[in-house]
Amino acid sequence: MPGKIMLVGGHEDKQGSKEILNVFAEMCHFRNIGILTTASSVPKDVFKDYKKAFHDIKVNDVIHFDIQKNTDEKKFIEKLNDLDGLFFSGGDQQKLCDVLCDSSFITALKEKWHQGLVLGGTSAGASIWGSKMIVDAEEENHEIKDIKMMNGFGFIPNLIIDQHFSQRERFRRLIYEVGSTKGLGIGIDENTAAVYEKNQLKAVGENMVTIMEGRNITYFAEDKTNEGSVSGIVLHLITAKNVFCLETGKLQVVKEED
C-alpha cells in the first residue's frame, strides 16, 4: 500500500513548535529521514537547517540527498533503503523537474513509496507530486495573461498543487487551471500542510488548505485575458483535523473528543 505524502505550503516553522515537521517525523516513527535539496540554490545550508530542526525533535538520523545533476541520482537510489521518509526542500521547481522527472531515481522512489515510504515536500517540493504543476503565471490588472505548466512526478494524478497560496494571492491562477482542466486543485497556505493518504487529504498546521473541484463546471471562458468567467467550481476550505475525500468530494469534520 502506498505511503503518505505531506504537501507543505512553504515557510514551515523550523524554530518554534515545529508542528508540521513534528507530524512528518511522527509519520516516519522518528527514524531515518532524508532531505532532498535538488530545488535549492544553497543545498548545504538548507540541509543544515532541516538537520538541526529534525534532530531537535529527536529524529534518529537525517541524511542529505544532494542530487544536483542527472548524473548524481544513481548513487542515491541504494540509499533509499536506509530511509523511513524523504522530504523535498523548496526552491526552483523547474530545476527539480529538469533533474528528476522521468529519472531512474523517481522510478525507484515510486516503488519504495508503494512499499510504504513516507514522502513530503515544501513549496516547490510540494507542487511536484501532481501530474502537472504551475511554474509561473503572468498577470496584468488582475487578468491572467499566461500560465506556464510543467509535468510533475505524477504520484497524485489529476491534482494540481499550489503553495504560498493566500500569502501570494494565487487564488485566480488556480481557478484558471481548474476551470480549463475541469480537474481538482489545492492551494496550501504557508506553515500549513495537506497530508495525502488513501485518496484523502487531511489539513495540518496554522492556516488553511483551499480545495477547488472542477468536475461539475458548466461554463468556463477559455480566453486568459477575460475576467475569469466560470460557473460550477465547488470550493472547500479545510483547517487542521478536517479530512477531504478526493473521490467523493465530501468533507469530514473530525470532532474533538471530550
Side-chain angles (χ1 to χ4, degrees):
M1 180 180 295
K4 302 175 183 179
I5 303 178
M6 173 179 273
L7 312 167
V8 185
H11 291 310
E12 67 281 3
D13 172 26
K14 302 184 193 71
Q15 308 293 330
S17 66
K18 308 178 186 68
E19 179 185 3
I20 288 172
L21 297 184
N22 258 295
V23 172
F24 187 78
E26 184 176 6
M27 288 160 54
C28 302
H29 306 289
F30 296 91
R31 293 174 185 161
N32 300 334
I33 293 176
I35 307 298
L36 189 143
T37 56
T38 303
S40 176
S41 60
V42 285
K44 291 181 180 178
D45 291 340
V46 168
F47 173 69
K48 182 179 178 181
D49 288 345
Y50 278 108
K51 184 176 182 179
K52 182 180 185 308
F54 277 121
H55 277 169
D56 285 348
I57 54 180
K58 309 305 181 187
V59 166
N60 179 58
D61 196 13
V62 186
I63 304 163
H64 193 186
F65 275 62
D66 188 16
I67 305 175
Q68 295 297 317
K69 300 176 292 184
N70 303 86
T71 53
D72 292 340
E73 57 166 336
K74 292 183 180 179
K75 65 183 178 183
F76 287 99
I77 291 175
E78 191 171 322
K79 290 188 177 183
L80 290 173
N81 295 322
D82 300 328
L83 297 184
D84 298 279
L86 181 62
F87 191 88
F88 284 54
S89 78
D92 182 347
Q93 56 209 60
Q94 181 159 344
K95 180 188 176 188
L96 187 56
C97 186
D98 289 345
V99 174
L100 290 178
C101 277
D102 301 318
S103 67
S104 55
F105 180 83
I106 293 303
T107 299
L109 183 65
K110 194 165 192 176
E111 182 178 343
K112 290 295 182 183
W113 177 61
H114 278 282
Q115 294 170 4
L117 181 68
V118 178
L119 301 175
T122 185
S123 191
S127 297
I128 196 75
W129 299 105
S131 299
K132 297 281 185 179
M133 61 179 171
I134 302 172
V135 176
D136 193 21
E138 181 184 346
E139 297 187 40
E140 184 178 314
N141 296 325
H142 304 293
E143 296 177 359
I144 299 293
K145 295 293 185 182
D146 191 35
I147 292 183
K148 182 179 180 181
M149 301 289 292
M150 289 188 68
N151 291 330
F153 294 154
F155 283 39
I156 311 176
N158 305 317
L159 184 66
I160 297 169
I161 303 155
D162 210 351
Q163 13 72 21
H164 303 283
F165 191 65
S166 296
Q167 291 76 15
R168 298 188 185 177
E169 299 181 345
R170 289 176 165 175
F171 195 84
R172 183 179 293 273
R173 76 180 199 175
L174 189 58
I175 280 183
Y176 181 84
E177 281 306 313
V178 170
S180 61
T181 61
K182 293 189 177 180
L184 186 66
I186 63 169
I188 310 167
D189 289 353
E190 293 177 357
N191 200 29
T192 307
V195 177
Y196 174 81
E197 181 184 20
K198 298 178 181 177
N199 216 27
Q200 292 185 327
L201 294 171
K202 180 179 179 180
V204 176
E206 180 181 10
N207 295 304
M208 189 171 290
V209 176
T210 300
I211 300 171
M212 298 182 188
E213 280 188 273
R215 66 187 94 189
N216 296 316
I217 285 176
T218 56
Y219 175 79
F220 176 70
E222 294 289 342
D223 183 3
K224 294 185 182 70
T225 62
N226 68 70
E227 287 298 321
S229 300
V230 62
S231 181
I233 284 183
V234 178
L235 184 68
H236 309 267
L237 304 176
I238 68 173
T239 55
K241 299 186 179 178
N242 292 166
V243 177
F244 179 82
C245 179
L246 298 178
E247 183 177 358
T248 65
K250 300 295 184 183
L251 175 68
Q252 177 186 355
V253 179
V254 179
K255 296 180 179 180
E256 294 279 1
E257 295 183 3
D258 295 332

